[in-house]
Amino acid sequence: MEHRKLSWDGFYNARDLGGLPRIGGGETKFGRFARSADFRFVTDEGLEALGSSGFQTVLDLRNDFETRLKPRNENEAQANAHRVPPTPEPPFPDGIFGVRVPLDATGDIEFWKRLAGEGRLGSPRFFSPVIKEQPHRVVAVLRALAASPGGVLYHCAIGRDRTGLLTFALLALAEVEPAAIAADYALSAGELGPFFKRLDFPDRAEAIAARLAEQGYTIESAVVEQLEEFDPWADLIDAGMTEAELISLRSRLVD
């Protein structure tokens, strides 16, 4: 982990997708994609380090209402009620481009109620349902990644769930070993402790692990379960991606 961790000032839960072992040998490339929590604590020095490392694009997976300090209506207030407090994206220096492509289809209330009832939210067990039942969102995000210049750092609010889903899809597409994909996701539980403490927000890592245990999973085995249900080429083509688009995305991580 240490050689992948991005210790830029104010960044939390931040790591490069490079250096991960691939099935059959080799590793993913550094400097192409990175993941993190939101930028609420990122300093000018942190942004300078981001740009000097070759990252030219920041892709924000949050909904617009997660970036407004004051909700516009009661629906927005309710939507933010159980999330970390909203925060706007900071102004980026020259050479870094900010893009927002929300991953959640927040209007599909019945979908999220079902996943909550199944105990999937807050864990990797929501990955496959989103990819297969909300494919238009996943495709929009992947196409934004493919079209973005330079290295791309992407994030949601805490950099675990939506960011985890996108990482899951990218690493599966790059044929990273399942155990390594699972281990990368599991890192967030420990990495987010300081973030939640600084934010004075409840850390639900233990509760999530306990709920998974009741279902017969660890964090890692839940990721592996989702990988067993996911064929990146077939499922993403079914979702609307072309083979050429998938090859282009994959080539950014592997030779």
Side-chain angles (χ1 to χ4, degrees):
M1 164 61 180
E2 288 304 317
H3 67 300
R4 300 178 50 232
K5 185 172 182 177
L6 302 175
S7 299
W8 305 326
D9 195 34
F11 280 83
Y12 286 87
N13 199 25
R15 51 194 178 272
D16 199 296
L17 268 61
L20 292 170
R22 299 182 60 236
I23 297 169
E27 294 183 338
T28 50
K29 298 176 184 177
F30 281 94
R32 305 305 175 89
F33 296 122
R35 57 181 295 172
S36 79
D38 66 34
F39 281 38
R40 72 183 66 225
F41 298 123
V42 172
T43 64
D44 289 343
E45 290 77 14
L47 290 175
E48 183 178 345
L50 172 72
S52 65
S53 298
F55 289 90
Q56 297 179 31
T57 305
V58 173
L59 175 60
D60 187 344
L61 305 177
R62 297 176 299 166
N63 300 284
D64 288 346
F65 60 76
E66 294 177 80
T67 70
R68 290 191 277 270
L69 297 179
K70 292 184 178 181
R72 295 187 303 184
N73 51 53
E74 182 59 28
N75 288 337
E76 286 194 1
Q78 290 181 357
N80 276 327
H82 301 292
R83 303 172 187 262
V84 296
T87 187
E89 199 79 295
F92 295 116
D94 290 345
I96 298 179
F97 305 94
V99 181
R100 178 171 300 114
V101 184
L103 181 57
D104 282 350
T106 54
D108 193 349
I109 296 173
E110 292 305 313
F111 172 82
W112 297 110
K113 282 184 177 179
R114 193 189 87 225
L115 264 60
E118 294 174 356
R120 291 177 180 266
L121 297 185
S123 86
R125 299 197 67 231
F126 91 107
F127 290 173
S128 182
V130 169
I131 292 170
K132 294 181 179 180
E133 298 180 52
Q134 298 182 349
H136 59 293
R137 295 286 188 164
V138 177
V139 167
V141 169
L142 289 173
R143 284 182 171 150
L145 276 182
S148 297
V152 184
L153 184 142
Y154 55 88
H155 72 88
C156 50
I158 64 175
R160 182 190 65 200
D161 300 322
R162 288 166 286 185
T163 297
L165 187 155
L166 183 53
T167 302
F168 169 89
L170 288 171
L171 297 182
L173 189 63
E175 299 176 322
V176 170
E177 292 179 359
I181 298 176
D184 178 77
Y185 180 88
L187 286 170
S188 290
E191 289 290 306
L192 283 168
F195 179 81
F196 288 132
K197 185 175 182 180
R198 184 170 180 181
L199 195 55
D200 194 22
F201 191 84
D203 185 347
R204 300 189 65 249
E206 290 186 4
I208 292 168
R211 186 173 71 237
L212 281 172
E214 291 173 358
Q215 299 169 0
Y217 298 96
T218 63
I219 292 286
E220 292 87 351
S221 70
V223 175
V224 173
E225 176 219 23
Q226 295 299 286
L227 285 168
E228 291 171 348
E229 297 179 3
F230 179 51
D231 181 327
W233 289 93
D235 289 346
L236 293 175
I237 286 175
D238 285 347
M241 301 287 290
T242 67
E243 191 165 305
E245 287 174 327
L246 294 180
I247 291 171
S248 176
L249 264 178
R250 182 176 176 274
S251 68
R252 295 182 75 157
L253 273 175
V254 304
D255 292 322

